[in-house]
Amino acid sequence: MSVPKIDFNDLRSAIRDVPDFPKQGIVFKDITTLLLDTDKFHAALEAMADRIRTISFDAIAAIEARGFIFGAALARQLNKSLVLIRKPGKLPAATFREIYELEYGTDSVEMHRDALTPGSRVLIVDDLLATGGTALAACRLIEQAQSDVAAVLFLIELQFLDGRNILKGYDVISMISYDAE
Ligand code: AMP
């Protein structure tokens, strides 16, 4: 399959800004428009795969829900197993759980207790890094399973929310970065 050379401005233009979603004042980065464009979607996956090719890891852990799209495609392309990090109450077998703070209240993520062999090196994947709370909870789930985070990979980073800071100590990789809303 031939994939055109990656133009990051082109990728950026395929991501739609939706103001005031899911609430007033948030500009939502909508990747559904990128997914509709086969060339750009494939180029985004190719860029992500290229960037992690030199990192040694055993499994990809993808964060619900949009992380599943990129995580599954990369797991297929790089021949890695795929672990699902899900919202509470969705996984059927015994789970580890991490609770994390939101602006108002808390949320949590879960992973099956038997998803990883202890000592695994895991690449975490999500579509977007905002404040970093979700990704940090994902890192802690991997560590609860006695495994190591090899890197945390995002298609998009909202730099102005400083998620990297909360993820200090982890290798944080993003393909497209926005420094202002
Ligand atoms: P955070 O925990 O603040 O880093 O939020 C990350 C999660 O929320 C990711 O799974 C994103 O898909 C989603 N998210 C947060 N902010 C946005 C935004 N402005 N546009 C799209 N998705 C977002």
Short mmCIF file of all heavy atoms in Angstrom, two decimals, residues 21 26-30 63-66 100 102 126-135 154 158 161 163, ligand 1:
data_model
loop_
_atom_site.label_atom_id
_atom_site.label_comp_id
_atom_site.label_asym_id
_atom_site.label_seq_id
_atom_site.Cartn_x
_atom_site.Cartn_y
_atom_site.Cartn_z
N PHE A 21 -18.32 22.42 22.72
CA PHE A 21 -18.69 21.01 22.89
C PHE A 21 -17.61 20.34 23.72
O PHE A 21 -16.43 20.54 23.45
CB PHE A 21 -18.82 20.31 21.53
CG PHE A 21 -19.28 18.88 21.67
CD1 PHE A 21 -20.63 18.56 21.70
CD2 PHE A 21 -18.35 17.84 21.82
CE1 PHE A 21 -21.05 17.25 21.87
CE2 PHE A 21 -18.76 16.53 21.99
CZ PHE A 21 -20.11 16.24 22.01
N ILE A 26 -15.27 25.07 25.70
CA ILE A 26 -14.34 24.03 25.23
C ILE A 26 -14.37 24.01 23.70
O ILE A 26 -15.44 24.03 23.09
CB ILE A 26 -14.78 22.62 25.74
CG1 ILE A 26 -14.92 22.59 27.26
CG2 ILE A 26 -13.85 21.53 25.21
CD1 ILE A 26 -13.64 22.47 28.03
N VAL A 27 -13.16 24.00 23.09
CA VAL A 27 -13.10 23.79 21.64
C VAL A 27 -12.74 22.32 21.43
O VAL A 27 -11.63 21.89 21.73
CB VAL A 27 -12.02 24.69 20.99
CG1 VAL A 27 -11.97 24.43 19.49
CG2 VAL A 27 -12.30 26.15 21.28
N PHE A 28 -13.69 21.56 20.93
CA PHE A 28 -13.50 20.12 20.77
C PHE A 28 -12.76 19.83 19.47
O PHE A 28 -13.15 20.31 18.40
CB PHE A 28 -14.87 19.42 20.77
CG PHE A 28 -14.78 17.92 20.92
CD1 PHE A 28 -14.69 17.35 22.18
CD2 PHE A 28 -14.77 17.09 19.80
CE1 PHE A 28 -14.60 15.97 22.33
CE2 PHE A 28 -14.67 15.72 19.95
CZ PHE A 28 -14.59 15.15 21.20
N LYS A 29 -11.68 19.06 19.55
CA LYS A 29 -10.93 18.66 18.35
C LYS A 29 -11.57 17.37 17.83
O LYS A 29 -11.41 16.30 18.43
CB LYS A 29 -9.46 18.41 18.70
CG LYS A 29 -8.73 19.64 19.22
CD LYS A 29 -8.56 20.69 18.15
CE LYS A 29 -7.83 21.91 18.67
NZ LYS A 29 -8.01 23.08 17.80
N ASP A 30 -12.29 17.52 16.73
CA ASP A 30 -13.10 16.42 16.20
C ASP A 30 -12.31 15.65 15.13
O ASP A 30 -12.05 16.19 14.05
CB ASP A 30 -14.38 17.03 15.61
CG ASP A 30 -15.28 15.98 15.00
OD1 ASP A 30 -15.10 14.78 15.28
OD2 ASP A 30 -16.17 16.37 14.21
N ILE A 63 -6.83 3.79 25.03
CA ILE A 63 -7.80 4.39 25.96
C ILE A 63 -9.13 4.63 25.24
O ILE A 63 -9.18 5.23 24.16
CB ILE A 63 -7.25 5.72 26.52
CG1 ILE A 63 -5.91 5.48 27.27
CG2 ILE A 63 -8.28 6.38 27.44
CD1 ILE A 63 -5.24 6.74 27.79
N GLU A 64 -10.23 4.16 25.88
CA GLU A 64 -11.59 4.35 25.34
C GLU A 64 -11.90 5.83 25.15
O GLU A 64 -11.56 6.63 26.02
CB GLU A 64 -12.60 3.74 26.32
CG GLU A 64 -14.02 3.77 25.82
CD GLU A 64 -14.98 2.93 26.69
OE1 GLU A 64 -14.54 2.34 27.69
OE2 GLU A 64 -16.16 2.90 26.34
N ALA A 65 -12.56 6.23 24.08
CA ALA A 65 -12.99 5.42 22.97
C ALA A 65 -12.14 5.70 21.73
O ALA A 65 -11.84 4.79 20.97
CB ALA A 65 -14.45 5.73 22.66
N ARG A 66 -11.75 6.96 21.54
CA ARG A 66 -11.05 7.27 20.29
C ARG A 66 -9.64 6.68 20.26
O ARG A 66 -9.08 6.44 19.19
CB ARG A 66 -11.05 8.78 20.03
CG ARG A 66 -12.43 9.29 19.64
CD ARG A 66 -12.45 10.79 19.44
NE ARG A 66 -12.13 11.50 20.66
CZ ARG A 66 -13.00 11.83 21.60
NH1 ARG A 66 -14.27 11.53 21.44
NH2 ARG A 66 -12.64 12.46 22.69
N TYR A 100 -9.31 9.16 39.09
CA TYR A 100 -8.58 10.42 38.89
C TYR A 100 -9.51 11.61 38.98
O TYR A 100 -10.72 11.48 38.81
CB TYR A 100 -7.77 10.41 37.58
CG TYR A 100 -8.59 10.22 36.33
CD1 TYR A 100 -8.93 11.30 35.52
CD2 TYR A 100 -9.01 8.95 35.92
CE1 TYR A 100 -9.67 11.13 34.37
CE2 TYR A 100 -9.75 8.78 34.78
CZ TYR A 100 -10.08 9.86 34.01
OH TYR A 100 -10.83 9.69 32.86
N LEU A 102 -11.28 15.16 38.14
CA LEU A 102 -11.73 16.02 37.04
C LEU A 102 -11.89 17.42 37.61
O LEU A 102 -11.72 17.63 38.81
CB LEU A 102 -13.08 15.54 36.52
CG LEU A 102 -13.12 14.17 35.86
CD1 LEU A 102 -14.54 13.81 35.52
CD2 LEU A 102 -12.25 14.15 34.61
N ASP A 126 -3.70 7.30 22.88
CA ASP A 126 -5.00 7.99 22.87
C ASP A 126 -4.99 9.01 21.74
O ASP A 126 -3.94 9.32 21.18
CB ASP A 126 -5.27 8.66 24.23
CG ASP A 126 -6.77 8.88 24.46
OD1 ASP A 126 -7.59 8.57 23.57
OD2 ASP A 126 -7.13 9.36 25.54
N ASP A 127 -6.18 9.54 21.43
CA ASP A 127 -6.23 10.51 20.32
C ASP A 127 -5.65 11.85 20.74
O ASP A 127 -4.99 12.51 19.95
CB ASP A 127 -7.66 10.68 19.78
CG ASP A 127 -8.62 11.32 20.77
OD1 ASP A 127 -8.48 11.07 21.99
OD2 ASP A 127 -9.51 12.08 20.34
N LEU A 128 -5.89 12.24 22.02
CA LEU A 128 -5.60 13.63 22.37
C LEU A 128 -5.14 13.76 23.82
O LEU A 128 -5.72 13.13 24.71
CB LEU A 128 -6.89 14.44 22.14
CG LEU A 128 -6.85 15.93 22.42
CD1 LEU A 128 -7.67 16.68 21.37
CD2 LEU A 128 -7.36 16.26 23.81
N LEU A 129 -4.10 14.58 24.02
CA LEU A 129 -3.63 14.92 25.37
C LEU A 129 -4.16 16.31 25.72
O LEU A 129 -3.81 17.29 25.06
CB LEU A 129 -2.10 14.92 25.40
CG LEU A 129 -1.43 15.44 26.68
CD1 LEU A 129 -1.80 14.59 27.90
CD2 LEU A 129 0.10 15.48 26.51
N ALA A 130 -4.99 16.36 26.77
CA ALA A 130 -5.47 17.67 27.25
C ALA A 130 -4.78 17.95 28.59
O ALA A 130 -3.60 18.28 28.60
CB ALA A 130 -7.00 17.65 27.33
N THR A 131 -5.45 17.73 29.71
CA THR A 131 -4.80 18.00 31.01
C THR A 131 -3.88 16.86 31.44
O THR A 131 -3.09 17.03 32.36
CB THR A 131 -5.85 18.19 32.12
OG1 THR A 131 -6.55 16.95 32.30
CG2 THR A 131 -6.85 19.28 31.78
N GLY A 132 -4.03 15.70 30.83
CA GLY A 132 -3.16 14.56 31.14
C GLY A 132 -3.69 13.63 32.22
O GLY A 132 -3.10 12.58 32.48
N GLY A 133 -4.84 13.97 32.82
CA GLY A 133 -5.37 13.15 33.91
C GLY A 133 -5.70 11.72 33.47
O GLY A 133 -5.38 10.75 34.19
N THR A 134 -6.31 11.59 32.31
CA THR A 134 -6.69 10.26 31.82
C THR A 134 -5.45 9.42 31.52
O THR A 134 -5.38 8.25 31.90
CB THR A 134 -7.54 10.39 30.52
OG1 THR A 134 -8.52 11.40 30.70
CG2 THR A 134 -8.20 9.08 30.15
N ALA A 135 -4.48 10.04 30.85
CA ALA A 135 -3.26 9.30 30.49
C ALA A 135 -2.48 8.90 31.74
O ALA A 135 -1.93 7.79 31.80
CB ALA A 135 -2.40 10.15 29.55
N PHE A 154 0.12 10.21 21.44
CA PHE A 154 -1.13 10.90 21.09
C PHE A 154 -1.03 11.40 19.66
O PHE A 154 0.05 11.79 19.21
CB PHE A 154 -1.34 12.13 21.99
CG PHE A 154 -1.34 11.82 23.46
CD1 PHE A 154 -0.16 11.90 24.20
CD2 PHE A 154 -2.51 11.44 24.09
CE1 PHE A 154 -0.15 11.61 25.55
CE2 PHE A 154 -2.51 11.15 25.45
CZ PHE A 154 -1.33 11.23 26.18
N LEU A 158 -2.82 19.31 23.21
CA LEU A 158 -3.22 20.69 23.50
C LEU A 158 -2.20 21.24 24.49
O LEU A 158 -2.34 21.10 25.70
CB LEU A 158 -4.65 20.75 24.07
CG LEU A 158 -5.74 20.11 23.20
CD1 LEU A 158 -7.12 20.31 23.84
CD2 LEU A 158 -5.73 20.69 21.78
N LEU A 161 -2.63 23.27 27.78
CA LEU A 161 -3.19 22.67 29.00
C LEU A 161 -2.12 21.95 29.82
O LEU A 161 -2.40 21.43 30.90
CB LEU A 161 -4.35 21.72 28.65
CG LEU A 161 -5.57 22.42 28.04
CD1 LEU A 161 -6.64 21.40 27.65
CD2 LEU A 161 -6.16 23.44 29.01
N GLY A 163 -0.49 19.13 29.77
CA GLY A 163 -0.61 17.72 30.17
C GLY A 163 0.73 17.03 30.34
O GLY A 163 0.87 16.11 31.14
P1 AMP B 1 -7.37 14.81 29.72
O1 AMP B 1 -7.53 13.73 30.75
O2 AMP B 1 -7.77 16.16 30.20
O3 AMP B 1 -5.98 14.80 29.10
O4 AMP B 1 -8.41 14.49 28.57
C1 AMP B 1 -8.10 13.57 27.62
C2 AMP B 1 -9.31 12.83 27.10
O5 AMP B 1 -10.44 13.68 26.90
C3 AMP B 1 -8.97 12.22 25.76
O6 AMP B 1 -9.44 10.88 25.75
C4 AMP B 1 -9.66 13.09 24.74
O7 AMP B 1 -10.25 12.31 23.75
C5 AMP B 1 -10.70 13.89 25.51
N1 AMP B 1 -10.60 15.36 25.29
C6 AMP B 1 -10.26 16.29 26.22
N2 AMP B 1 -10.30 17.53 25.72
C7 AMP B 1 -10.64 17.41 24.42
C8 AMP B 1 -10.82 18.34 23.34
N3 AMP B 1 -10.66 19.65 23.47
N4 AMP B 1 -11.15 17.83 22.12
C9 AMP B 1 -11.31 16.50 21.95
N5 AMP B 1 -11.18 15.58 22.92
C10 AMP B 1 -10.84 16.01 24.15
#
